[in-house]
Amino acid sequence: ELLQTLPHFCKDYFIGIEPTTSSRTRIAYAYDLRIFFEYMHENNPVCKKMEISDFPLDILDQICAQDIEEYLNWLKYYIKDDIEHTNNERGISRKLACIKSFYHFFFRTERISTNPAELVKMPKLHEKNIIRLDADEVAMLLDHIEHCGDELTGQKRVYYEKTKERDLAIVTLLLGTGIRVSECVGLDVEDVDFKNNGIKVTRKGGNEMVVYFGHEVEKALKKYLEVRKNIVPVAGHEHALFYSTQRKRIGIQAVENLVKKYAGAITTTKKITPHKLRSTYGTTLYQETGDIYLVADVLGHRDVNTTKKHYAAMDDARRRKAATAVHLRED
């Protein structure tokens, strides 16, 4: 559906990047490209002359670096369909990354002669503090999922009892392995190996990897699998590990909603998402091992610098300890 709203040559780009991207990334890029071409259609004199779906490939050569920079500035605040839209520096950075990837594909394959996106610098990203759960908050979250049904009545109680073991297994798995929410919902029941206590996940870019889990994750998964035996899935969803209440493979949004619901009951000052549970795992693993390469490997970061960037503040705290660890003279 998205491709039908884009110029015909976009299809070649999405086929070209398919082996190295997830479907979620491609959908996000398709939305970003649609916004880009809609802007150009409104603001570029050459693009105004025809419908977006009729744009020829060589129109990319008629867009210059200044056009792209003006588009990025426009993204900070615009109105579409009477709705106000804003983009922070990370949103703008992602949209520029999409345009750079798009232009690079056609320039590399020698189908266009210019690459104006290469001339546009990525915006400087200011570091954000890592939001994560403290050890006592982790325990409170898991306890809350296990026992909050005591406070519920009627239909809410029925729904809670129906989803309790699934929700506890999902949150325990995210906290106990640091896998991404997309990797979690993509798990098949055959991907779980209790003999070695490992799960086979498909990482960003399509690489498969076994991530190992401990006793608490094993216990939560086994309890959920007992419940799962009694679920008759919708045709085509038989292999999914986690089911929605509609007996289909659970979606990313559903996991985000359940994490938000349970976490909101134990902390009002932290906006907890599945990704924050991943940060919690990465932080705890680094605190316990001090091995940044292990953390990068388990989290599936292709570049250890990505990991270092996230956990740099903890590195600083470790270095501060060195100042008091060595005593030159006894007091």
Side-chain angles (χ1 to χ4, degrees), residues 32 75 86-96 125:
D32 290 346
L75 282 172
T86 60
N87 279 276
N88 60 19
E89 56 192 17
R90 289 177 189 277
I92 292 169
S93 181
R94 193 195 79 177
K95 286 176 171 60
L96 178 55
L125 297 182

Side-chain angles (χ1 to χ4, degrees), residues 77-313:
Y77 175 84
Y78 65 95
I79 297 173
K80 183 186 175 189
D81 300 328
D82 297 325
I83 299 171
E84 294 182 343
H85 297 268
T86 60
N87 279 276
N88 60 19
E89 56 192 17
R90 289 177 189 277
I92 292 169
S93 181
R94 193 195 79 177
K95 286 176 171 60
L96 178 55
C98 167
I99 295 169
K100 281 180 174 285
S101 166
F102 187 69
Y103 263 92
H104 176 72
F105 172 78
F106 289 107
F107 187 72
R108 180 177 55 81
T109 53
E110 299 181 334
R111 294 176 62 185
I112 55 175
S113 56
T114 60
N115 187 357
E118 193 62 33
L119 303 175
V120 181
K121 288 185 177 179
M122 294 294 284
K124 179 176 172 58
L125 297 182
H126 295 89
E127 291 300 321
K128 293 197 298 184
N129 286 333
I130 299 176
I131 296 172
R132 53 184 175 262
L133 293 173
D134 298 326
D136 60 326
E137 290 172 326
V138 169
M140 286 167 61
L141 175 60
L142 296 175
D143 287 345
H144 177 70
I145 298 172
E146 277 192 311
H147 303 297
C148 68
D150 301 342
E151 306 155 16
L152 303 174
T153 56
Q155 204 57 39
K156 285 187 177 179
R157 177 70 183 256
V158 173
Y159 182 83
Y160 163 76
E161 292 295 344
K162 188 177 179 182
T163 60
K164 170 186 167 183
E165 300 302 346
R166 180 203 68 187
D167 294 354
L168 187 60
I170 288 173
V171 174
T172 306
L173 181 65
L174 293 172
L175 281 167
T177 62
I179 62 172
R180 297 177 177 91
V181 62
S182 57
E183 295 164 352
C184 176
V185 301
L187 287 171
D188 289 338
V189 70
E190 295 87 358
D191 293 330
V192 184
D193 171 18
F194 286 114
K195 184 182 176 187
N196 299 295
N197 271 12
I199 48 168
K200 185 173 71 177
V201 297
T202 303
R203 293 295 195 190
K204 273 185 175 180
N207 295 326
E208 287 187 348
M209 176 183 176
V210 174
V211 176
Y212 297 96
F213 54 79
H215 171 67
E216 289 167 296
V217 175
E218 177 190 8
K219 182 180 169 186
L221 283 175
K222 283 183 173 176
K223 283 185 80 173
Y224 164 66
L225 286 172
E226 285 300 313
V227 174
R228 185 184 176 280
K229 285 179 185 174
N230 301 316
I231 298 172
V232 180
V234 171
H237 295 261
E238 295 86 356
H239 295 282
L241 175 59
F242 294 115
Y243 289 128
S244 68
T245 48
Q246 286 79 38
R247 297 176 290 115
K248 296 179 179 179
R249 182 183 294 277
I250 197 168
I252 288 172
Q253 189 69 56
V255 176
E256 288 175 344
N257 289 343
L258 73 88
V259 169
K260 181 181 177 182
K261 176 182 73 173
Y262 290 121
I266 63 142
T267 173
T268 54
T269 57
K270 297 176 181 177
K271 185 183 175 186
I272 300 301
T273 63
H275 197 78
K276 302 300 187 295
L277 302 186
R278 178 169 158 83
S279 295
T280 300
Y281 173 80
T283 302
T284 308
L285 182 62
Y286 187 56
Q287 285 173 337
E288 292 295 322
T289 65
D291 187 342
I292 199 75
Y293 291 96
L294 174 64
V295 177
D297 185 40
V298 175
L299 290 181
H301 289 162
R302 278 183 274 190
D303 184 353
V304 75
N305 288 317
T306 304
T307 322
K308 283 181 177 176
K309 184 176 69 178
H310 288 306
Y311 301 102

